[in-house]
Amino acid sequence: MDDYLWRDKSKTVLALRHILIKEFGDFDRVSIFGGMIRDIARDGKRGFRSDVDLVIDAPADQVKNLAKRLSAKPNMFGGFGHRSTRWEIDFWALETTWAHRNGYIKASSVDDLLQGTFFDWDAAHYDIKSRKLYSQHGYLERIRSRTLGVNLIKTPSAVGNAVRTVRRVLLWDLKASSGLLDFVDQVVADEGLEALVHYEKRKHQRSVCEGFAERSRLLEALSAGNRKVHSLRSSPRQMELPGLIPHARD
């Protein structure tokens, strides 16, 4: 994370660094949450090709004022989306994050949000100013095991997270935990495979869910791992990520 954010000389990363310092540098505590950390842990810097999620430990009105200045648009989950030439950045005030706002966790600091991610692989954050990385206990072990699990089962988008499960498990050559399998099984039972295919086609050029005509075959693929059942593409093994700091407060 340090190397990517502060030492990389590419124009793309220089643009991100500029945004983080110029637009978010006045806040005492801003953390990159979830996806960037997960992707770098899984596949090094080359594995990160997504947007950036930020959580700001500051009053909601201050974050809202920043959103107005940036002309950022409200997103579906209580935060704001800022689109620059090279980057898409979604950001939230701590008190407006979905799990806290809906009473599923009590977040008095960014660290508490580690209990509120849907996927356990997303339960990590990087404090921009202190340049420290925080995670749930056993975070790297779960990534090394190549088993994707569920952290907080409550979600504002059950179909969306079922689709994300299918894509991550099969495209990244993983296995789903028993809890995550139960979640997908229930969503498909309630909504049907067609709902997953429809959602996925709206978001992605290629549908993975469309390759399964039966719920049982989908669950078999998710539990067995990509190479045993469903051949889509090979994906490299994750790189080691030394120096990860377990969930702790300074």
Side-chain angles (χ1 to χ4, degrees):
M1 288 292 295
D2 283 346
D3 185 57
Y4 183 83
L5 288 171
W6 311 117
R7 293 187 283 273
D8 194 293
K9 301 296 185 182
S10 68
K11 291 183 179 179
T12 299
V13 179
L14 286 172
L16 175 60
R17 193 180 307 159
H18 174 76
I19 294 171
L20 293 177
I21 294 172
K22 180 177 184 293
E23 308 298 353
F24 298 91
D26 289 340
F27 295 103
D28 290 334
R29 194 173 193 194
V30 180
S31 282
I32 296 174
F33 220 93
M36 178 190 284
I37 302 164
R38 174 202 67 218
D39 290 346
I40 289 177
R42 183 181 67 88
D43 193 23
K45 291 190 291 183
R46 65 180 179 177
F48 177 63
R49 293 181 292 272
S50 186
D51 55 3
V52 178
D53 293 332
L54 300 178
V55 176
I56 304 170
D57 192 351
D61 59 343
Q62 293 182 19
V63 177
K64 187 175 182 179
N65 288 338
L66 171 65
K68 289 180 180 178
R69 182 165 60 80
L70 295 176
S71 297
K73 305 299 183 183
N75 62 31
M76 294 175 59
F77 308 113
F80 300 93
H82 172 58
R83 307 294 179 260
S84 69
T85 303
R86 296 178 182 269
W87 287 96
E88 296 184 2
I89 297 177
D90 289 324
F91 58 94
W92 288 259
L94 175 64
E95 62 191 274
T96 66
T97 50
W98 184 85
H100 172 77
R101 185 163 45 90
N102 287 275
Y104 297 117
I105 63 170
K106 185 176 181 180
S108 58
S109 74
V110 178
D111 298 317
D112 294 323
L113 296 180
L114 296 177
Q115 311 304 318
T117 63
F118 179 79
F119 293 107
D120 57 3
W121 281 30
D122 292 342
H125 75 90
Y126 176 90
D127 187 296
I128 292 172
K129 285 200 171 180
S130 70
R131 301 190 184 183
K132 290 184 178 180
L133 194 58
Y134 299 82
S135 75
Q136 276 189 336
H137 179 72
Y139 178 79
L140 273 187
E141 287 73 14
R142 286 191 288 274
I143 292 181
R144 289 191 184 105
S145 75
R146 305 191 65 76
T147 299
L148 182 65
V150 63
N151 187 18
L152 176 68
I153 197 93
K154 298 294 184 180
T155 171
S157 179
V159 170
N161 274 330
V163 169
R164 292 181 189 95
T165 298
V166 173
R167 292 184 65 84
R168 291 178 186 182
V169 169
L170 298 182
L171 294 177
W172 295 353
D173 187 20
L174 311 178
K175 291 196 301 182
S177 70
S178 59
L180 194 52
L181 283 173
D182 289 343
F183 169 80
V184 174
D185 189 18
Q186 189 63 57
V187 173
V188 176
D190 292 342
E191 306 291 341
L193 272 170
E194 297 81 5
L196 273 65
V197 172
H198 178 71
Y199 179 96
E200 189 178 18
K201 284 185 173 181
R202 287 194 292 112
K203 299 288 185 179
H204 304 280
Q205 292 182 342
R206 183 182 181 188
S207 172
V208 178
C209 298
E210 195 174 32
F212 298 92
E214 299 176 359
R215 184 169 108 204
S216 61
R217 290 292 294 163
L218 174 60
L219 295 174
E220 182 184 358
L222 296 177
S223 61
N226 181 30
R227 285 177 295 178
K228 295 180 182 178
V229 177
H230 191 68
S231 179
L232 291 168
R233 69 171 177 84
S234 61
S235 59
R237 297 292 178 182
Q238 79 279 3
M239 297 175 65
E240 296 291 328
L241 184 61
L244 195 69
I245 301 174
H247 178 201
R249 291 187 177 88
D250 288 340

